[in-house]
Amino acid sequence: MEENTDVPGLAEHLTALLDKGGDLVQMFLTPGWRQNQILIVLGLIALAWLLRLLTEARVQGWTRDRDGWPKWRLRMMVQIRQRLGLIYFALGAWAVYLVMQQVTWPSRSYLIGIAATLATAWLVIAMLSRFVQNRTLRRLLTWGAWIYATLFALEVLDGTLAFLDSLVLGVGSLSLSVLTMLKALLMIVALLLLARLLTQTATRSLQGNEDMSPSMRVLAIKAVQVVVYGFVVITGIRALGFDLTGLALLSGAVGVGIGFGLQKVVSNLVSGIIILLDRSIKPGDVISLGETFGWIDSLGARYVSVVTRDGKEYLIPNEDLITSQVVNWSYTNKFVRLDIHFGTSYGDDPHKVRAVAVAAAKKVSRVLSQPNPPVCHITGFGDSSVDYILRFWITDPSDGLTNIKGNVFLALWDAFQENGISIPFPQREVRHLNDPARAGNSTENG
């Protein structure tokens, strides 16, 4: 019985739609005021196109001369320039419509009023849609709003809504009409836009909060995103008519199965939360993990982004930072001590060598003089040299360690050259036992 009542209803709607299309074609072909209105609309379109060609270059040049304008105003002028034709048509259509309303019967300007309303609605929708940054979401909103405005202007909105409500899709015991699904989709899109706006506002507010540590800011931002987007998902499911209590058992069974397959993912997520809570690392810290040395650029839900001095960005899983030994060069403070080993000949005064080395290190810009000045100590007497160690402190390990060591070595070289201090190197003398000349000399000496 249900199939017999549904099919004729659908057929009746399709028949009515075809009849309206036939009436529209007949209206184009039949002489009279309706045809005249259509010709006026076509003439306004041609006039708007011509005006756009004549004024677009001037509007563009005038906009380029506005040097002191803010960026949002310049972007608005760009949007206006791209839609000059539509603006001219809307203004012309409204002018003709208002004049004809005063000088002739209102029915003789009915189609012109519809065209003016549609042009204005399309213009407003196109301008407002630019505030949506996501391209796909912007297109969905634009097309949806255009369709709604067109149906409203043509006064067929109620019939279309009734037609969509009559199209029912059954999923088990649940029946959903196309109208219900469209309403749910529009509500989800609106909630997503609102959620994006709220999360961006909360992110800017939390990032500017100096009372919170960087790791706590990241944790608070992630918590806000989870709560807001979780609310959008739950609201969207409820809008479609699904009973969330009926999905509890199924979601529990699926969750157990997925949990075994996503152990690493869950481990990284939990490790990320632990890292944020204990604040062992935070954005800006300089760390070493194995062969990787760099500073933390961002903390993610699954990984930590570490940027090295050569520009490479390593995405290290959070679990590795929990289970492996990590050297945090700036955990409690940014003071880092570096050691340089060198040697001088036995003929050089070690007291002078130590003083010259300390003075040379102090001349390097990144080396600290206070509160921990450089020091130099003798570490041993080697085969060819007296061995020393030069220790100094820096506060900017993120700027590199190899480069600062190289600068200190150059400073030592220049200072030793100026003060006559020599750096010995191993020398070896090789004697050839089967040399005839040496054998003869040995015989004569004997």
Side-chain angles (χ1 to χ4, degrees):
M1 294 299 293
E2 293 181 357
E3 294 180 356
N4 294 333
T5 56
D6 290 341
V7 174
L10 178 59
E12 290 177 0
H13 284 296
L14 294 177
T15 302
L17 185 61
L18 292 175
D19 292 340
K20 287 184 179 293
D23 294 340
L24 184 61
V25 174
Q26 189 68 24
M27 185 174 57
F28 276 98
L29 301 177
T30 303
W33 271 104
R34 289 185 177 180
Q35 190 181 63
N36 293 338
Q37 293 180 67
I38 295 173
L39 293 177
I40 291 174
V41 171
L42 294 177
L44 290 173
I45 293 175
L47 180 61
W49 178 76
L50 180 61
L51 290 175
R52 184 184 67 84
L53 290 180
L54 295 176
T55 60
E56 184 176 12
R58 295 183 180 180
V59 173
Q60 183 177 3
W62 183 83
T63 304
R64 288 180 177 177
D65 294 336
R66 308 299 100 183
D67 296 333
W69 277 18
K71 291 184 178 180
W72 68 267
R73 191 177 297 178
L74 294 175
R75 293 193 187 100
M76 185 64 67
M77 289 301 303
V78 172
Q79 298 300 323
I80 293 175
R81 180 181 61 81
Q82 293 176 350
R83 295 169 176 83
L84 279 177
L86 187 59
I87 294 174
Y88 289 141
F89 174 77
L91 293 176
W94 280 116
V96 173
Y97 173 74
L98 294 176
V99 171
M100 292 184 68
Q101 286 282 306
Q102 299 297 324
V103 300
T104 185
W105 298 101
S107 60
R108 294 180 177 180
S109 59
Y110 173 71
L111 295 180
I112 299 175
I114 292 178
T117 302
L118 286 176
T120 305
W122 290 346
L123 180 62
V124 172
I125 292 170
M127 298 296 290
L128 294 179
S129 64
R130 306 309 302 178
F131 291 99
V132 182
Q133 298 180 355
N134 187 281
R135 181 178 299 179
T136 303
L137 193 58
R138 181 169 64 245
R139 289 179 178 177
L140 290 175
L141 288 175
T142 301
W143 283 103
W146 279 353
I147 293 173
Y148 182 86
T150 302
L151 296 176
F152 179 81
L154 296 177
E155 298 181 355
V156 294
L157 180 61
D158 294 337
T160 304
L161 294 179
F163 171 69
L164 294 176
D165 195 34
S166 65
L167 298 178
V168 179
L169 300 178
V171 182
S173 60
L174 180 65
S175 297
L176 296 175
S177 67
V178 176
L179 181 61
T180 301
M181 289 188 290
L182 288 177
K183 289 182 178 179
L185 178 62
L186 290 175
M187 185 175 64
I188 292 174
V189 171
L191 288 176
L192 284 175
L193 289 176
L194 181 60
R196 183 180 180 87
L197 179 62
L198 290 176
T199 53
Q200 289 179 348
T201 304
T203 299
R204 289 192 296 267
S205 177
L206 291 172
Q207 287 178 346
N209 190 348
E210 299 295 337
D211 297 331
M212 301 175 63
S213 63
S215 58
M216 290 304 297
R217 294 177 203 165
V218 175
L219 179 60
I221 292 171
K222 299 299 180 184
V224 170
Q225 291 175 348
V226 170
V227 171
V228 173
Y229 285 106
F231 173 77
V232 172
V233 172
I234 295 174
T235 304
I237 294 176
R238 292 295 299 271
L240 289 173
F242 288 100
D243 187 5
L244 297 179
T245 58
L247 298 176
L249 181 60
L250 177 62
S251 61
V254 173
V256 173
I258 294 177
F260 286 106
L262 300 178
Q263 292 183 7
K264 286 293 183 180
V265 176
V266 175
S267 176
N268 286 319
L269 291 174
V270 175
S271 300
I273 295 175
I274 295 175
I275 290 174
L276 293 174
L277 290 176
D278 65 9
R279 294 178 292 180
S280 56
I281 60 174
K282 57 186 180 295
D285 281 354
V286 180
I287 67 170
S288 297
L289 180 64
E291 299 296 329
T292 304
F293 173 82
W295 62 90
I296 298 176
D297 182 64
S298 62
L299 300 177
R302 190 182 60 85
Y303 59 83
V304 172
S305 174
V306 178
V307 180
T308 60
R309 290 285 299 171
D310 55 0
K312 295 180 181 179
E313 187 171 3
Y314 290 88
L315 305 181
I316 301 177
N318 293 327
E319 184 182 8
D320 293 349
L321 297 173
I322 295 294
T323 59
S324 302
Q325 183 178 2
V326 180
V327 179
N328 192 335
W329 296 77
S330 53
Y331 177 54
T332 55
N333 56 64
K334 293 187 177 181
F335 289 97
V336 176
R337 192 189 72 181
L338 300 178
D339 297 339
I340 285 182
H341 298 271
F342 66 93
T344 62
S345 64
Y346 278 93
D348 297 320
D349 183 5
H351 300 284
K352 180 180 179 181
V353 171
R354 293 178 58 195
V356 170
V358 170
K362 289 182 178 180
K363 294 180 180 180
V364 181
S365 59
R366 292 173 56 192
V367 176
L368 296 180
S369 298
Q370 294 294 334
N372 300 313
V375 294
C376 184
H377 302 289
I378 296 178
T379 59
F381 299 104
D383 295 337
S384 305
S385 64
V386 180
D387 299 328
Y388 299 86
I389 182 172
L390 176 63
R391 289 176 172 171
F392 57 92
W393 293 80
I394 62 174
T395 58
D396 50 359
S398 59
D399 291 340
L401 303 180
T402 303
N403 53 4
I404 183 62
K405 286 185 176 181
N407 292 336
V408 174
F409 272 122
L410 286 176
L412 287 177
W413 176 272
D414 296 336
F416 288 168
Q417 294 293 322
E418 293 175 359
N419 291 273
I421 300 174
S422 60
I423 300 177
F425 55 90
Q427 300 184 26
R428 298 291 183 267
E429 180 179 351
V430 179
R431 296 183 180 182
H432 197 284
L433 298 180
N434 295 327
D435 187 357
R438 295 189 57 85
N441 293 335
S442 299
T443 304
E444 291 177 359
N445 293 333

